[in-house]
Amino acid sequence: MSIAIKRVIAAAGLVAVWSCTLTAGAAEAILEGDRSVPVEARKGMVVTSHYLATDEALRVLEAGGNAIDAAVTAAFALAVTQPRSGNIGGGGFMLVSSEERGDVTAIDYREKAPAAASRDMYLDENGEVVKERSRFSHKAAGVPGTVAGLALALEKYGSITLAQALAPAIKLAEEGFVIPPRFAQGIESQAERLKQFESSRKVFFKADGSLYQPGERFVQKDLAATLRRIAEQGVQGFYEGETADLIVAEMQRGGGLITHEDLKNYQPAIRKPVHGNYRGYDIYSMSPPSSGGAHIVEILNILEGYPIADSGLNSAQTIHLMSEAMKRAYADRSEYLGDTDFVDVPLTGLTSKEYAASLREQIDPEQATPSVEIKPGNPAPYESNETTHFSIVDRYGNAVSNTYTINFSYGSHIVVDGAGFLLNNEMDDFSAKPGVPNAYGLIGGEANKIEPNKRMLSSMSPTIVKKDGKNYIVTGSPGGSRIITTTLQVLMNVIDHNLNIQAAVNAPRIHHQWLPDEIRIEQGISPDTIRLLEGMGHSVVQKSAMGAIQSIMVGEDGVFYGGADPRRSTSSAKGY
Ligand code: DON
């Protein structure tokens, strides 16, 4: 077995070329990619965070399936090949655009709080938040939505059966796959916590407790059996019967709250995506219970009033204006956003051009406004009434943008014993106590308090941009609170800065989320730009890379351009 990994980062991180070759005995997994130019194809394009999922989804397209068939196939394949975020124990959001019907629909399969959940369930006797409980305990898990959501997508828009979409995942789980370096590194980095749970130790470590190595084969028999029950019995094969029994038994062993009733009652929802317009492009992104769409549109509306193309990509002036817009949007998030099945969210107000103009008036073009001076704004009142992303387009005019998650890498770190999949820790996305930040430093209030059967607020932002009624950009990312700003920047990099989709994905990112009051940057922003920003009163902090945005652009000539994110070594874009 030989492993060669080569990474060349040129031009201060602007251009990245990765090539990774794994050889294990006979011809095994081979991945070679040049991430400095987009992949081109005419009939279909798949961009995911794992090359094995990309391959399976592409095969579906090649066999005549549509983007929704390929998406569901990819999602189940990711649940096997990338269990740190691909999942059946979590939830997410899918946007489906059909040029033929002329609509964009959102499928909300976000987890829900169990019926026994309560507002103060993560507080100790002194009223302090016990983080361990909302993040790494059986009580951290929301009722999973992924299986129901994917089944609904297929039933509504697909052309293959659930069993067909599951077949590649079952094979990958049953027969195993060759472990890439990233997979082995991920488990190693979380080994201590994963080993705390016997059920997780059994899945992620060898019988003697040692680590799996890159190039070895990873087999998941329990997961294969769980997936087979879904293939044979449909959603009931997960929410009822043996799998439900295993989930409930796991809950009872660890003091969790999910019951048979919770599982049986889980229903995904069809929602209307948030719609905005930026410089003539139609932006569709996820509506509540995600905050993503509302704030991408809010930030774009603010920035539309500035000549961003002239101020230039990642110049101090552009980063200043972006940060000021981001701060104000994240302040609004903390106050107004929550599950619209439970609270009124002033969506029309937040996404209106007038409200953006009023926020723009508060922005000093030369000087940072300290976050302490920024409070949630006053949009027009309520109208009464390791996550992973993939993007797929087909030759029938369909586009799918899907982000799903178990929250942290490996979620709660708890495998359902006997069922072979990890439980999410999505309950940490609720506001456990007003003013106390969650794991991503996000502050929330009343609108996002814990209530039985409520969906916790998300930042996931699967997004589709249309131009003159045609699909143009399909994109989205993991990254917790950074998802919104990561997605925003790919849109701006294409629309304002005229970058091709791969360059738009590669470009160094910045992020401001109101609190903490700092601009977080990736490597690649020049030191003199940082000095200029500091001179305007900003605090600038360089931290690790943000997001893993898997994107497609459709050219005017009808060519599909795929841009996989080099920030994940297994990311891959392939078309045919
Ligand atoms: O829904 C959310 O906003 C978070 N649970 C997403 C978590 C995430 O992106 C982690 N991945 N990096």
Side-chain angles (χ1 to χ4, degrees), residues 376-395:
N378 280 312
Y382 305 116
E383 317 88 63
S384 56
N385 37 24
E386 213 205 35
T387 306
T388 186
H389 179 87
F390 56 81
S391 298
I392 301 178
V393 292
D394 66 23
R395 62 188 132 139

Side-chain angles (χ1 to χ4, degrees), residues 199-255:
S199 53
S200 307
R201 198 199 57 75
K202 278 195 296 196
V203 168
F204 291 111
F205 300 85
K206 295 181 184 172
D208 65 359
S210 62
L211 289 161
Y212 284 99
Q213 299 299 323
E216 293 178 343
R217 194 165 269 279
F218 193 69
V219 176
Q220 300 168 84
K221 295 279 184 201
D222 284 347
L223 181 57
T226 299
L227 295 171
R228 206 172 295 114
R229 284 192 288 277
I230 305 169
E232 284 162 7
Q233 301 160 37
V235 288
Q236 284 85 355
F238 182 84
Y239 291 94
E240 297 176 44
E242 191 176 338
T243 304
D245 290 346
L246 289 168
I247 296 172
V248 172
E250 184 63 51
M251 288 291 131
Q252 285 167 355
R253 246 190 317 278

Side-chain angles (χ1 to χ4, degrees), residues 373-410:
E373 290 172 20
I374 297 175
K375 299 281 171 270
N378 280 312
Y382 305 116
E383 317 88 63
S384 56
N385 37 24
E386 213 205 35
T387 306
T388 186
H389 179 87
F390 56 81
S391 298
I392 301 178
V393 292
D394 66 23
R395 62 188 132 139
Y396 314 114
N398 298 303
V400 172
S401 178
N402 187 92
T403 317
Y404 74 153
T405 186
I406 44 177
N407 197 18
F408 295 3
S409 252
Y410 308 96

